[in-house]
């Protein structure tokens, strides 16, 4: 590792704190006979722990220069496969076909520059992950886990709450990484909702949410003026709101009701 030149463009900040690695494993609650997907193993610090906790690990690493380092660091470990490729270009469903397992997890200290694309990719894979445990930049984690009405509550919070129960697990100081980044980190968990919401037109729901948050200072009357405001007002009044309310006050349930009422002729 001594001569390794860390690439900022790949988000290469490697964990150097065994307590954090142990904590990630503890909080991932990996059951027996499991497959774990890791995005960005780096030099294999987390991979080693994952290999102990799971039956199989499949890791994706974009940087070929790490191949020899990973070979050395994982020399005695035989349940790890590494695909050297851009995770975002892979068909995960095809990649995991050859494995047999009862539960599949994602556990990773991800490259922060593609946090949202990674989550979208995981959602779009339609794989039924038992849980997804990800380390990310603290400010991004704050947005993902924000409660309704708080400053950080945004369209991405609504989308994530639509798919998952989202939980902040613990904070990680910038001092736990080599090289030391300019930001602190947080580990969050995403667990697929047991009871799926009933949405009549998913595309419309996503559009309404995006539009509602378009101008943060504007209220729904302004942000959603191209929709049928009477229908929106009807839904809002059931929750003692009117069109002067701002998007940040509305839970995922209310957004779904608004979108469903707009979907009906
Ligand atoms: N897991 C290691 C750790 O905790 O020490 C390294 C984490 S580091 C934050 C992110 C890793 O993701 C780096 O090894 C980087 O090369 C890799 N990476 C960056 N972009 C990637 C991509 N598109 N697909 C797969 N791996 C990627």
């Amino acid at each position: 590792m001594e001569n390794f030149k860390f690439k900022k463009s790949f988000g290469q900040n490697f964990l150097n704190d065994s307590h954090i690695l142990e904590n990630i494993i503890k909080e991932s609650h990996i059951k027996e006979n499991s497959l774990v997907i890791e995005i960005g193993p780096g030099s294999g610090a987390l991979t080693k722990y994952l290999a102990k906790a799971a039956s199989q690990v499949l890791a994706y690493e974009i940087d070929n220069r790490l191949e020899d380092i990973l070979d050395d660091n994982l020399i005695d470990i035989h349940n790890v496969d590494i695909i050297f490729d851009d995770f975002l270009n892979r068909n995960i469903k095809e990649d995991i076909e050859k494995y047999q397992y009862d539960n599949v997890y994602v556990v990773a200290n991800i490259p922060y520059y593609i946090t949202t694309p990674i989550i979208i990719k995981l959602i779009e894979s339609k794989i039924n992950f038992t849980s997804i445990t990800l380390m990310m930049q603290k400010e991004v984690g704050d947005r993902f886990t924000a409660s309704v009405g708080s400053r950080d509550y945004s369209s991405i919070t609504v989308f994530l709450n639509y798919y998952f129960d989202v939980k902040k697990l613990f904070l990680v100081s910038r001092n736990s990484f080599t090289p030391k980044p300019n930001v602190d980190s947080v580990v969050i968990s995403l667990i697929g909702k047991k009871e799926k919401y009933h949405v009549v037109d998913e595309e419309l729901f996503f559009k309404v949410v995006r539009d509602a948050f378009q101008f943060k200072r504007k209220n729904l009357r302004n942000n959603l003026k191209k929709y049928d405001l009477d229908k929106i007002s009807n839904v809002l009044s059931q929750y003692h709101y009117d069109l002067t309310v701002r998007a940040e006050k509305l839970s995922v349930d209310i957004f779904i009701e608004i979108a469903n009422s707009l979907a009906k002729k």
Side-chain angles (χ1 to χ4, degrees):
M1 269 317 307
E2 271 141 53
N3 300 322
F4 185 76
K5 279 210 154 53
F6 291 93
K7 259 198 188 171
K8 229 181 170 170
S9 61
F10 283 157
Q12 288 180 341
N13 302 95
F14 294 176
L15 270 168
N16 60 25
D17 183 335
S18 59
H19 295 300
I20 302 292
L21 292 162
E22 281 160 13
N23 245 345
I24 295 174
I25 299 298
K26 189 173 133 239
E27 293 287 352
S28 303
H29 301 290
I30 299 166
K31 292 190 200 142
E32 261 174 49
N33 199 19
S34 295
L35 169 67
V36 173
I37 294 175
E38 183 187 11
I39 303 140
S43 60
L46 178 61
T47 322
K48 268 192 204 166
Y49 284 81
L50 292 173
K52 263 195 222 146
S55 319
Q56 290 142 321
V57 179
L58 171 63
Y60 295 91
E61 174 55 62
I62 200 170
D63 191 349
N64 287 313
R65 296 175 310 149
L66 288 162
E67 197 162 350
D68 290 344
I69 295 170
L70 279 164
D71 275 349
D72 276 357
N73 288 348
L74 304 176
I75 192 150
D76 296 324
I77 295 172
H78 305 292
N79 59 342
V80 176
D81 291 326
I82 300 177
I83 296 177
F84 286 91
D85 199 357
D86 183 342
F87 171 72
L88 297 178
N89 289 340
R90 300 298 304 189
N91 181 330
I92 327 170
K93 224 170 186 161
E94 268 177 33
D95 289 341
I96 65 172
E97 251 168 25
K98 64 171 182 174
Y99 298 97
Q100 300 222 322
Y101 51 84
D102 294 329
N103 291 282
V104 55
Y105 300 79
V106 178
V107 183
N109 169 21
I110 53 175
Y112 293 0
Y113 72 104
I114 46 170
T115 300
T116 302
I118 286 173
I119 293 176
I120 291 173
K121 179 140 187 112
L122 294 174
I123 291 170
E124 287 179 346
S125 77
K126 300 236 177 336
I127 296 168
N128 192 8
F129 297 108
T130 305
S131 69
I132 299 171
T133 308
L134 300 177
M135 166 124 61
M136 60 190 62
Q137 181 176 337
K138 181 183 170 295
E139 288 71 18
V140 177
D142 285 346
R143 254 191 290 138
F144 287 1
T145 55
S147 41
V148 186
S150 69
R151 192 177 47 107
D152 288 323
Y153 189 76
S154 56
S155 53
I156 188 80
T157 326
V158 179
F159 295 140
L160 286 181
N161 277 297
Y162 169 59
Y163 290 107
F164 303 109
D165 291 325
V166 189
K167 211 166 115 195
K168 192 182 282 186
L169 297 176
F170 57 92
L171 296 175
V172 181
S173 150
R174 64 193 74 188
N175 297 319
S176 302
F177 299 87
T178 311
K180 180 173 157 180
N182 295 324
V183 293
D184 291 316
S185 295
V186 66
V187 179
I188 71 159
S189 112
L190 305 170
I191 298 184
K193 287 249 187 253
K194 284 223 168 65
E195 300 266 327
K196 301 265 182 273
Y197 288 111
H198 171 68
V199 172
V200 177
D201 179 343
E202 211 171 50
E203 227 169 273
L204 176 65
F205 163 65
F206 294 144
K207 205 168 144 23
V208 168
V209 174
R210 251 182 271 118
D211 287 338
F213 281 93
Q214 196 188 6
F215 300 104
K216 266 222 129 181
R217 315 230 127 261
K218 290 193 173 174
N219 60 26
L220 283 210
R221 187 195 302 284
N222 289 308
N223 277 338
L224 298 183
K225 60 175 174 246
K226 64 181 175 203
Y227 299 91
D228 184 335
L229 288 176
D230 286 338
K231 286 185 178 170
I232 298 174
S233 177
N234 266 338
V235 174
L236 290 174
S237 66
Q238 291 165 40
Y239 295 91
H240 311 289
Y241 289 121
D242 58 33
L243 288 165
T244 64
V245 73
R246 287 200 193 139
E248 72 209 33
K249 292 267 185 235
L250 305 181
S251 65
V252 62
D253 310 66
I254 302 180
F255 275 115
I256 290 172
E257 264 197 60
I258 291 175
N260 284 351
S261 83
L262 292 170
K264 287 183 193 124
K265 293 270 155 18

